[in-house]
Amino acid sequence: METIGPCHVVKSKKTTARSIVNLAIKELQNNKKDKINLIWLEATGCSGNIISLLNAENPDVMYLLQEMVSLKYNNSLMAAEGEKAFKQFLDTLDTEFILVVEGAVSTKDNGLYNIIARYQGKAITAMEAVNLAGEKAKYVLAVGTCASYGGISAARPNPSNSISVAEFLKREVIRIPGCPSHPDWVIGTIANLIAFGNLELDSKNRPIMFYSITIHDHCPRRSYFDKGIFATKLGDLECMFKLGCRGPITRTDCPMRQWNGYVNWPIGANTPCIGCAGESFPDGMEPFVRY
Amino acid sequence: MGSKITINPVTRISGFLEIEVEVEQNQIIDAKSSGMLFRGFEKMLKGRPPLDAIFFTERICGICSTAHSMASTLALEDVLNVSPNENDKIIRDFMHGCEFVQNHLRHFYQYTLPDFVRGLEISPLYTNTHNDYRLPGELNKELSKHYMEALEYSRLAHEMLAELGGKAPHTHGIFVGGVTINLDAAKWIKIKSILVKIKEFVNARMIPDVYTIAKYYPDYFYNGFGYRNLLSYGVFDSYEEKELFYIAPQVMINGERQKFNSEMITENIHRAWYEAGKIEQRPTEPTIDENLHKEDAYSWIKAPRYDQNPMEVGPLARMLLSGNYRGGISTMDRTIARVLEANKIVVIMEGLLEKMQLQSTQQGEYEIPKLVKGKGLIDTTRGALGHWISIQDQEIHNYEIITPSSWNLSPEDSIGFKGVVEEALIGTKINDLTNPVEIGRIVRSYDPCVSCATHVISDRYEPIRISVV
């Protein structure tokens, strides 16, 4: 058998492959480096939206953090504490970043009802932090009903004088209401911003893709409503309207999307929608249940 | 006079907490813990429809909302004289179990692990900020991997809760009279299959992981003691079967067991920004006034006391009192007890699943009385939670809440007892004053939920020691 020497084409193919891989890795690394920064600020609320975000699935929170954004600051998750933690917040302000605020902005006594850090001896209120980051952020997302409209933090008699992020900042704020906000609504909005730029918003600055229809429009119990068959107590299978359901005035895609692995939603648990994504929640949505 | 160290934010907890310690010769000689968020739920609840308390008080806390739906529902059942049937009660207790599991998984992996495990690979969120990481390379890598894996199981715990209650957090399915779901076999087998996965993870990962940490940080068995007074209101205590029973209401003070009596619970306002005729109130008394001009007050959390004593509440208290844990009381014991409790709860949930019947829920139409008072006391993820309700003219007239984290994070009282966490910090040796990792580790072992602890109202105050430019 004739011995065949190393073929230069094969050889170059090998190196070509390697250089393509290297290019791809470099690209990937560059992409990672270029991921936009994210500050997720917890303000006057229950910190339930970050918990809801942890419930995300496809993409999950790890995909969000590894592939989509570079999370620089979040009270619930970050490793650093104290001044070192808050320094990460400050250092991010001079970069391009998305600001997510969950919770309302409590304004009473110059914001002292909600102090989020102490930096070089100085108390930093949530109000001040929202202001600092809100002025510089490329996009501001109000996540959850408290950040979007004041929500339960601003419930009568509103002891902390809490207001929405938009009312406080007086700039464009994208509202992603819900108590809590669905993780898909948050991650979907961020995906739209980083991959496609412009986001279609309604007159209340909510992404149309999630908030264009009322719960009532797509409720699986709608046929009961149309025929006038109503539930008389929780646990019943008919239309919840007469028990106080706020589906007709609440715009979200809950009936189709569903929650927590897409397994259920409040009406699926035989309870009325309490309008938790609505502007007037909770005061304007009460009583939550009536017989 | 020693040097002062202030940590704010104490991250990887729920809510906003400031810890200030005074250190002399590398030892903590004084400690103060202050909650940093006020919303005023008790004031908001006044005048609202009583049944709304369930969905309303859930919103006190995003990580333990089901705890508040349990306590508010029990308080309402007390005033309405309603008891759920056995099957609805079993399903409700199972739902409460989902909340325990979700919390314990997240607290151990997402909140506790970064204190002990280096360089989780989701920088920049996990910058290494100190040098006291002791796990060898391979083990360190393994535990970081488990951090990621755990996310799936805590998510699944909430999925079980949503299956039965619509969504989580802020679930809908727990209500006066039991639950609102009509259990069918499809739902039943779904939650059963999820629970199998969670049990496997808890046993194959979580329990070995906490012992790995304990092995490399054995000095944490020797700090974070607190007062060694333990309190539980009881939870999973109404079943006759041994495997379904966890803990009845219990108290241990100075090593002596006592019979629990809810009349012994008071809130002391000595170092809290409140003003009243008496230095301490009972939770059945009206919400008191605030005064931020008060000298030497430093916290917005009142100081709950049992027969004048500061009490530790939470998984370690429950596991010790119920005889399910034989260790001691320390930072590491607290962390281990929480992990072991996760398994204990999963086993109880398995038993509850076997007892469930495919029956429709027995919801009723509830008529609110004109004038009535009641309470709902139950142990929840972080410990003893109490809701006290008073109804007048079919509206909420007064609503008082004492949360587990108020017990653990309270300020000093008028007798001179510091709060439980404060006491646990005092005496601790700090190895590196520029990186006082001990403080965060001790505080986190209590799983503070400051969203809960600072729900209370403080009005008309002005800052004393806080100056904002």
Side-chain angles (χ1 to χ4, degrees):
Chain A
M1 224 181 184
E2 232 180 300
T3 314
I4 302 168
C7 166
H8 77 276
V9 178
V10 172
K11 198 180 165 192
S12 90
K13 265 188 182 168
K14 275 183 186 164
T15 40
T16 310
R18 193 176 301 129
S19 53
I20 288 172
V21 169
N22 286 342
L23 268 176
I25 288 171
K26 204 171 170 191
E27 188 96 335
L28 215 66
Q29 282 167 345
N30 282 344
N31 276 345
K32 283 202 171 168
K33 209 173 152 193
D34 287 339
K35 280 188 307 179
I36 190 164
N37 289 334
L38 178 76
I39 291 175
W40 184 297
L41 202 57
E42 294 166 36
T44 311
C46 72
S47 299
N49 289 288
I50 190 72
I51 295 299
S52 185
L53 186 80
L54 291 176
N55 288 336
E57 192 177 358
N58 299 326
D60 62 8
V61 73
M62 275 303 131
Y63 186 91
L64 172 75
L65 299 186
Q66 287 172 334
E67 307 296 331
M68 294 172 63
V69 296
S70 186
L71 182 57
K72 295 285 192 180
Y73 186 85
N74 173 253
N75 189 70
S76 289
L77 296 176
M78 68 195 303
E81 59 187 15
E83 286 201 344
K84 285 176 186 167
F86 195 67
K87 190 164 185 308
Q88 284 181 228
F89 171 87
L90 294 174
D91 289 347
T92 310
L93 297 181
D94 292 325
T95 69
E96 187 178 75
F97 68 98
I98 297 173
L99 171 68
V100 166
V101 181
E102 75 162 285
V105 182
S106 95
T107 62
K108 194 158 188 180
D109 286 335
N110 210 17
L112 280 170
Y113 274 58
N114 187 189
I115 289 166
I116 66 151
R118 189 172 296 274
Y119 192 72
Q120 294 174 351
K122 177 173 173 285
I124 311 290
T125 63
M127 188 171 101
E128 190 179 359
V130 171
N131 193 38
L132 278 171
E135 276 180 351
K136 294 186 164 181
K138 184 170 184 193
Y139 304 107
V140 179
L141 275 55
V143 169
T145 301
C146 289
S148 295
Y149 302 118
I152 208 133
S153 295
R156 161 186 63 74
N158 195 357
S160 58
N161 283 353
S162 281
I163 59 173
S164 74
V165 174
E167 197 185 334
F168 175 67
L169 280 180
K170 315 246 185 281
R171 62 160 280 176
E172 184 180 79
V173 172
I174 298 164
R175 289 188 169 104
I176 312 176
C179 190
S181 185
H182 195 296
D184 284 8
W185 302 340
V186 179
I187 296 179
T189 300
I190 292 173
N192 194 311
L193 293 173
I194 61 179
F196 303 98
N198 267 353
L199 183 69
E200 224 188 328
L201 301 172
D202 69 6
S203 60
K204 290 192 164 119
N205 269 14
R206 296 171 295 190
I208 280 176
M209 60 178 155
F210 304 119
Y211 297 97
S212 65
I213 47 154
T214 66
I215 282 175
H216 191 59
D217 284 338
H218 279 182
C219 184
R221 299 189 183 193
R222 179 60 184 266
S223 64
Y224 287 112
F225 177 86
D226 292 341
K227 291 180 187 131
I229 306 169
F230 297 103
T232 57
K233 57 188 189 315
L234 304 193
D236 286 353
L237 300 176
E238 299 85 9
C239 173
M240 292 276 151
F241 182 73
K242 289 195 170 170
L243 289 170
C245 183
R246 304 298 170 183
I249 53 164
T250 306
R251 286 178 186 273
T252 71
D253 61 6
C254 293
M256 288 99 73
R257 185 169 303 279
Q258 311 225 348
W259 288 77
N260 303 85
Y262 316 101
V263 296
N264 208 351
W265 66 304
I267 290 174
N270 312 315
T271 62
C273 163
I274 62 170
C276 76
E279 187 167 2
S280 65
F281 180 78
D283 296 349
M285 300 295 183
E286 292 195 332
F288 297 151
V289 177
R290 60 162 186 252
Y291 297 105
Chain B
M1 188 77 180
S3 57
K4 279 201 172 126
I5 299 173
T6 306
I7 300 182
N8 180 8
V10 177
T11 48
R12 287 176 282 115
I13 62 164
S14 190
F16 307 93
L17 176 68
E18 175 168 300
I19 298 287
E20 184 190 278
V21 299
E22 205 177 320
V23 181
E24 225 173 60
Q25 293 173 337
N26 281 52
Q27 194 166 31
I28 297 177
I29 56 164
D30 196 13
K32 289 176 180 172
S33 76
S34 310
M36 288 296 177
L37 164 70
F38 279 84
R39 287 167 293 168
F41 270 80
E42 285 152 347
K43 200 167 198 177
M44 292 172 186
L45 282 158
K46 197 175 166 72
R48 288 188 195 267
L51 290 175
D52 285 6
I54 301 168
F55 298 154
F56 201 98
T57 60
E58 281 187 317
R59 269 112 181 141
I60 289 171
C61 178
I63 198 167
C64 56
S65 55
T66 305
H68 291 286
S69 60
M70 288 296 292
S72 55
T73 297
L74 291 174
L76 286 163
E77 286 178 347
D78 189 26
V79 298
L80 296 169
N81 209 10
V82 171
S83 304
N85 71 20
E86 181 75 358
N87 199 50
D88 281 9
K89 190 176 180 320
I90 289 167
I91 297 170
R92 185 160 80 188
D93 281 344
F94 184 92
M95 293 168 77
H96 194 201
C98 298
E99 182 81 296
F100 273 79
V101 173
Q102 179 261 157
N103 271 286
H104 284 356
L105 280 165
R106 286 185 171 147
H107 184 265
F108 180 64
Y109 282 102
Q110 274 64 53
Y111 293 179
T112 303
L113 226 65
D115 272 338
F116 300 99
V117 176
R118 179 192 297 114
L120 292 158
E121 284 170 10
I122 32 172
S123 63
L125 204 56
Y126 291 100
T127 44
N128 296 325
T129 53
H130 59 85
N131 297 313
D132 186 33
Y133 298 108
R134 309 182 198 164
L135 299 187
E138 274 308 302
L139 267 179
N140 193 84
K141 215 158 138 190
E142 205 180 304
L143 264 66
S144 326
K145 216 174 90 207
H146 300 168
Y147 174 104
M148 313 280 182
E149 287 175 19
L151 288 165
E152 186 191 344
Y153 298 94
S154 53
R155 186 180 63 64
L156 283 170
H158 259 173
E159 188 172 318
M160 290 193 294
L161 185 51
E163 187 66 44
L164 300 172
K167 78 191 218 297
H170 306 331
T171 197
H172 269 228
I174 289 171
F175 206 73
V176 174
V179 293
T180 62
I181 201 79
N182 304 302
L183 188 68
D184 61 36
K187 282 185 182 298
W188 181 79
I189 199 70
K190 186 189 272 274
I191 55 177
K192 189 171 168 151
S193 71
I194 291 176
L195 193 63
V196 168
K197 289 186 193 171
I198 291 175
K199 188 183 186 184
E200 165 72 16
F201 182 80
V202 168
N203 283 280
R205 297 278 191 262
M206 197 179 182
I207 293 175
D209 286 350
V210 78
Y211 284 118
T212 297
I213 288 172
K215 186 181 161 196
Y216 287 93
Y217 297 85
D219 39 328
Y220 283 83
F221 284 106
Y222 301 97
N223 64 22
F225 305 125
Y227 287 101
R228 302 181 172 92
N229 294 334
L230 310 174
L231 167 69
S232 170
Y233 293 162
V235 64
F236 305 111
D237 57 346
S238 63
Y239 304 101
E240 285 169 12
E241 295 91 332
K242 194 170 163 260
E243 65 274 17
L244 297 184
F245 185 87
Y246 184 11
I247 182 169
Q250 277 189 63
V251 182
M252 192 194 281
I253 296 170
N254 299 325
E256 274 181 43
R257 280 178 196 265
Q258 297 183 8
K259 197 170 160 7
F260 172 72
N261 174 5
S262 69
E263 296 297 310
M264 295 287 188
I265 299 166
T266 55
E267 286 184 293
N268 191 296
I269 56 164
H270 178 56
R271 302 290 287 254
W273 283 312
Y274 298 89
E275 200 75 76
K278 297 176 295 177
I279 203 84
E280 61 179 33
Q281 283 75 41
R282 293 180 188 284
T284 46
E285 292 177 285
T287 308
I288 55 167
D289 286 333
E290 312 76 35
N291 176 14
L292 215 95
H293 300 287
K294 197 161 119 182
E295 286 283 318
D296 294 332
Y298 63 86
S299 182
W300 295 331
I301 305 173
K302 296 175 196 166
R305 295 293 184 256
Y306 183 89
D307 194 15
Q308 312 288 340
N309 293 285
M311 308 295 293
E312 171 169 354
V313 299
L316 180 62
R318 284 190 291 262
M319 291 292 277
L320 284 168
L321 287 171
S322 64
N324 282 289
Y325 184 65
R326 306 270 174 213
I329 296 178
S330 69
T331 306
M332 197 54 75
D333 285 299
R334 205 166 284 116
T335 305
I336 293 171
R338 181 172 298 107
V339 170
L340 297 180
E341 185 183 68
N343 189 52
K344 173 78 187 162
I345 300 292
V346 167
V347 170
I348 290 170
M349 290 167 78
E350 282 180 327
L352 293 172
L353 269 172
E354 294 313 310
K355 267 177 83 88
M356 284 179 195
Q357 303 291 316
L358 305 184
Q359 290 170 1
S360 292
T361 174
Q362 297 296 304
Q363 276 291 318
E365 294 175 34
Y366 305 109
E367 184 69 28
I368 307 296
K370 282 233 172 301
L371 187 70
V372 69
K373 285 181 178 183
K375 63 179 185 295
L377 306 184
I378 185 168
D379 248 51
T380 57
T381 307
R382 291 174 176 75
L385 172 63
H387 283 211
W388 285 261
I389 188 171
S390 151
I391 293 172
Q392 258 181 38
D393 300 326
Q394 299 182 310
E395 288 179 349
I396 294 173
H397 179 66
N398 202 61
Y399 206 102
E400 291 289 317
I401 302 160
I402 301 181
T403 66
S405 291
S406 295
W407 283 101
N408 287 336
L409 294 165
S410 72
E412 190 178 345
D413 63 30
S414 51
I415 294 178
F417 283 127
K418 305 286 287 185
V420 173
V421 165
E422 293 173 338
E423 177 69 15
L425 287 167
I426 293 168
T428 303
K429 195 170 167 291
I430 308 279
N431 284 325
D432 174 5
L433 287 177
T434 55
N435 292 300
V437 289
E438 294 85 354
I439 298 169
R441 286 171 178 169
I442 291 169
V443 172
R444 276 184 203 95
S445 76
Y446 288 90
D447 191 3
C449 184
V450 186
S451 307
C452 280
T454 56
H455 59 278
V456 288
I457 168 70
S458 172
D459 219 356
R460 302 192 306 272
Y461 78 80
E462 283 173 20
I464 290 173
R465 71 191 175 96
I466 298 157
S467 60
V468 167
V469 178

